[in-house]
Amino acid sequence: FHHRKPGLVGLLSSKSKLASMGHKRPYFSLIVDGIHVHESAVSMAYNSHPNGCVLVTDAMSAMGLGDGVHALGDMSVNIKGDRATLTGTDTLAGSVVSMDTCVRRFRKFTNCTIGEALLCATLHPANVLNRSVMQERATEAPIGVLEIGARADLVVVTDELDVVATWVNGKIAYDGRKLL
């Protein structure tokens, strides 16, 4: 970022400039694992265009396996804490942080509400895919919303945003508390 050439931050915050060129403000994705994007940059991007923010994980197959050397295709990846690098380099090889962790960190970095953070992980991605509302002649039900006719995908979380249970297409897929 430079004050005379604001780059992406300028693009995200320039609603009137984009409109004058016949464009809408873009959606943008953030990997909020605390490694890919600095917390100040996360906050700045979100506050520039909250309705365009889409949370993604960039999670690789070694997520949840702990520290050590793991494979990513034919590449060797070293995992140490939340950092995944190609073995012998400092090059990031993806992430090993789950979506719920990304949502918690996003909330901490931006000081947004729980609802605002969850929109970035649910409705906004569905909007990007043009799947948040019922379309005429649609072959797939809407996602990212709780309404009649939408896909019955649901994640139940605590006030701390820890996952309690997950339903996929109306069927329990994960029950973290074995209450169901």
Side-chain angles (χ1 to χ4, degrees):
F1 175 81
H2 186 275
H3 66 284
R4 291 192 191 110
K5 295 181 183 180
L8 180 60
V9 172
L11 178 65
L12 296 177
S13 62
S14 297
K15 185 176 181 179
S16 60
K17 176 75 170 174
L18 288 167
S20 73
M21 298 185 299
H23 300 292
K24 294 180 181 177
R25 291 167 84 183
Y27 286 98
F28 61 97
S29 59
L30 293 171
I31 303 166
V32 190
D33 59 1
I35 296 165
H36 278 80
V37 183
H38 190 277
E39 65 184 86
S40 296
V42 169
S43 180
M44 193 180 318
Y46 174 71
N47 287 307
S48 294
H49 183 28
N51 291 330
C53 183
V54 175
L55 298 183
V56 296
T57 65
D58 196 28
M60 56 174 285
S61 57
M63 182 180 78
L65 298 181
D67 290 356
V69 178
H70 302 281
L72 178 60
D74 61 353
M75 296 180 288
S76 177
V77 176
N78 187 51
I79 308 297
K80 185 170 184 182
D82 289 341
R83 182 177 290 274
T85 56
L86 295 177
T87 301
T89 74
D90 290 329
T91 303
L92 292 177
S95 179
V96 290
V97 175
S98 63
M99 179 58 84
D100 58 316
T101 299
C102 287
V103 172
R104 283 191 296 277
R105 289 181 182 169
F106 177 78
R107 186 155 184 260
K108 177 183 174 188
F109 295 171
T110 63
N111 201 31
C112 70
T113 67
I114 289 174
E116 290 165 337
L118 291 173
L119 286 174
C120 295
T122 58
L123 181 62
H124 297 173
N127 287 341
V128 169
L129 298 171
N130 199 26
R131 293 275 314 279
S132 61
V133 295
M134 186 62 81
Q135 303 289 326
E136 253 186 79
R137 294 173 290 195
T139 59
E140 298 177 295
I143 58 174
V145 293
L146 290 174
E147 60 185 41
I148 295 172
R151 237 179 90 133
D153 297 340
L154 180 73
V155 178
V156 177
V157 296
T158 65
D159 289 342
E160 293 77 34
L161 295 169
D162 294 313
V163 176
V164 174
T166 306
W167 280 265
V168 177
N169 210 18
K171 296 184 177 148
I172 189 80
Y174 171 75
D175 181 1
R177 293 198 182 171
K178 305 292 183 217
L179 296 176
L180 303 173

